[in-house]
Amino acid sequence: MIPYYEEYCKLIENNPSLEPYKRRLSALDKAEKNLLEMKAEEIAKIIDVDKKKINTIQSTYSTLRHYQKWVNENYGLPIADSYYEIQRLKTLVSSNKENIGKNIFNDFSELKSTLSQAEENYLMEMESELSEKKYDTLVKRQKQYSAYIVFLWNQIPEEDMLKLSLKDIETILDSKQLNMNNSNVTLSDAELIMIREAYDVMIDMRDQDKEKQIRGRGVSSKFKCDNLFNTTSLSKLRNLKWEALGSSTDDIRLEKPSIKKAGLFNKIYQYEQKNDYTFVNTMDGYKAYCEIFNETSRGIAQRNVNEYISFRKGVENLEDFNDL
C-alpha cells in the first residue's frame, strides 16, 4: 500500500500531465506492505521489472521519487530508507537486463500465452470506446499480428512475409511446413492456428469484395493485396503491433528483436537436443553455427552463439527448463 495514495491521486487529477504516475503506482498500492518499507527486490517483483522496457522502468523511478518528495514535504514521512531501496532497485534492474534469458521467451507456448493475454487486455480496454465495426477491425488486426509473430519467431524477413501469397499460405497450412531461406521448419499446431486465423480474415475479405462486385455496388475494395497482411508496405506491416495492441503492453519480450532472438535461441536449443550437440564459444562452435544455420558472417555467428550460451545458462536455472 502507498501512504496517502488517495491524496496523491487528487494532486494528479489537478495536473493531467501527471496522469501516468497513477498508473505506474497502482500495482504498488494494491500490495499489503507499505511502499516506504519495501525492499528493492519486493518492488521489482510487484512492478514486474523483468518484463518491462528500460524506458518504462526509468519513468517509474521518476514517479517514485516524485511521490517520495511529495509525501515527505506534505506529511513529514521519512523517506531516506525508501530512497536507498530505489537506488538499489536501479542496480538490480541493470544487472537483470544483462541477463538475456530474462528478457525473451523460453518457448513458443510462453510467447503465445503472453500475446493472447495482451490482446485480450487491449480488447477489454477498447470495447467501450470503439464502434462495433472498429472493434471487429481490431480483432482482425490482432489475428494478422499473431501470424506476423509466427513468421518473426521462425526468422522470416519481413520482406519475405509480404511476398507470401494466399496460395503459398494454403500450401504451408496443408503441408504444415515452412520452407524458406534454405530451411525447412515443421510448424506446431499453435503456429498453424495463428496463421490459419489470419488467412481466414483475408479470404473472408476477398469473398466479401467479390460479392459486392457481383451486386454492382460502387464500393472501394478492402482486399488490396494477395497476402496475409493486405499490404505491400513494410512500414504498414511494422505498424501492426500498434494497431493490434496499441500502447497497452510494455512487455519487452513482445518487441520484435526479442521475439526474433527467442525464436533463434529456441531453434538452436532444439538442434542441440536432437543431435546431442552443445554449442561452445570457440571457433569450432562459430563454424558449426554457420554451417548449420546457413550464416555467412562469422561475426554474426560469434555474437549469436555467445548470446545463446548466456541465455542457456539463465534458462537452466528456471524451474520449467525441462518443459522447453
Side-chain angles (χ1 to χ4, degrees):
M1 54 80 68
I2 297 178
Y4 300 103
Y5 182 64
E6 291 184 5
E7 289 79 1
Y8 185 68
C9 288
K10 290 179 181 178
L11 169 71
I12 292 174
E13 290 174 1
N14 295 326
N15 191 340
S17 66
L18 298 179
E19 182 60 32
Y21 287 20
K22 182 178 179 180
R23 184 177 66 251
R24 294 170 194 153
L25 293 176
S26 61
L28 290 164
D29 186 55
K30 294 175 183 176
E32 292 184 9
K33 192 169 183 178
N34 187 328
L35 169 63
L36 299 180
E37 298 174 357
M38 287 184 189
K39 297 294 184 183
E41 292 82 359
E42 294 172 310
I43 297 174
K45 183 176 181 180
I46 292 171
I47 65 176
D48 216 0
V49 294
D50 289 342
K51 299 177 183 178
K52 295 290 192 297
K53 300 175 187 176
I54 192 64
N55 60 338
T56 300
I57 299 172
Q58 289 171 341
S59 297
T60 302
Y61 298 149
S62 299
T63 301
L64 288 168
R65 285 196 295 269
H66 183 272
Y67 165 76
Q68 288 173 333
K69 181 180 179 182
W70 174 84
V71 79
N72 176 259
E73 292 179 349
N74 289 275
Y75 296 96
L77 296 187
I79 60 172
D81 290 343
S82 180
Y83 184 82
Y84 169 72
E85 293 301 329
I86 299 305
Q87 297 303 112
R88 284 191 60 238
L89 178 64
K90 289 184 180 181
T91 303
L92 284 174
V93 170
S94 177
S95 176
N96 283 344
K97 290 304 177 184
E98 292 175 0
N99 183 353
I100 194 169
K102 291 189 175 184
N103 298 331
I104 65 176
F105 293 107
N106 299 321
D107 57 22
F108 190 79
S109 63
E110 186 181 10
L111 163 58
K112 183 178 183 298
S113 176
T114 303
L115 176 61
S116 296
Q117 187 61 58
E119 290 175 338
E120 182 179 344
N121 290 344
Y122 191 50
L123 286 174
M124 292 175 62
E125 178 184 334
M126 301 303 295
E127 187 174 11
S128 61
E129 299 184 22
L130 298 178
S131 65
E132 183 177 348
K133 184 177 181 180
K134 289 185 177 180
Y135 184 85
D136 182 58
T137 298
L138 173 58
V139 172
K140 292 175 180 177
R141 289 291 179 272
Q142 290 188 344
K143 290 179 178 179
Q144 290 174 314
Y145 180 64
S146 293
Y148 170 78
I149 291 297
V150 172
F151 292 125
L152 271 187
W153 176 268
N154 286 289
Q155 313 303 300
I156 305 302
E158 291 167 320
E159 293 84 352
D160 291 344
M161 296 183 202
L162 294 176
K163 293 176 183 177
L164 286 169
S165 68
L166 293 180
K167 189 68 176 177
D168 294 329
I169 299 300
E170 290 175 8
T171 300
I172 291 171
L173 293 171
D174 289 341
S175 66
K176 301 182 180 180
Q177 302 289 317
L178 185 56
N179 299 312
M180 297 188 73
N181 300 328
N182 299 317
S183 65
N184 184 9
V185 178
T186 299
L187 297 172
S188 67
D189 289 342
E191 291 171 302
L192 290 167
I193 289 172
M194 291 163 79
I195 294 175
R196 166 70 69 180
E197 289 182 343
Y199 170 81
D200 289 343
V201 165
M202 291 306 300
I203 292 300
D204 182 57
M205 187 183 298
R206 185 186 66 184
D207 291 346
Q208 286 183 19
D209 274 2
K210 286 183 179 179
E211 185 178 345
K212 290 175 183 177
Q213 291 172 8
I214 292 174
R215 294 181 180 181
R217 294 183 181 179
V219 181
S220 61
S221 174
K222 292 183 178 180
F223 184 82
K224 307 292 185 183
C225 301
D226 182 27
N227 61 32
L228 280 186
F229 309 105
N230 203 31
T231 184
T232 58
S233 168
L234 277 174
S235 62
K236 288 184 178 180
L237 179 65
R238 291 165 180 164
N239 197 45
L240 258 181
K241 182 176 185 287
W242 172 258
E243 294 185 6
L245 299 178
S247 59
S248 63
T249 178
D250 54 10
D251 191 333
I252 192 173
R253 298 173 304 167
L254 285 175
E255 294 298 310
K256 172 184 167 182
S258 299
I259 292 171
K260 288 185 66 176
K261 189 159 289 184
L264 174 62
F265 289 174
N266 188 266
K267 189 175 183 180
I268 298 173
Y269 174 78
Q270 296 300 337
Y271 180 88
E272 287 185 327
Q273 298 304 298
K274 184 177 180 180
N275 297 278
D276 192 25
Y277 180 86
T278 302
F279 282 93
V280 292
N281 54 348
T282 64
M283 291 305 294
D284 287 340
Y286 309 146
K287 182 179 179 181
Y289 178 93
C290 288
E291 293 175 351
I292 296 166
F293 298 106
N294 300 308
E295 179 57 64
T296 57
S297 170
R298 188 63 60 86
I300 292 177
Q302 180 176 349
R303 183 187 67 208
N304 287 343
V305 169
N306 289 339
E307 288 187 354
Y308 169 71
I309 292 172
S310 296
F311 164 78
R312 187 176 61 201
K313 289 178 180 177
V315 172
E316 286 171 349
N317 294 325
L318 298 177
E319 292 181 356
D320 60 348
F321 176 69
N322 292 327
D323 294 330
L324 281 173

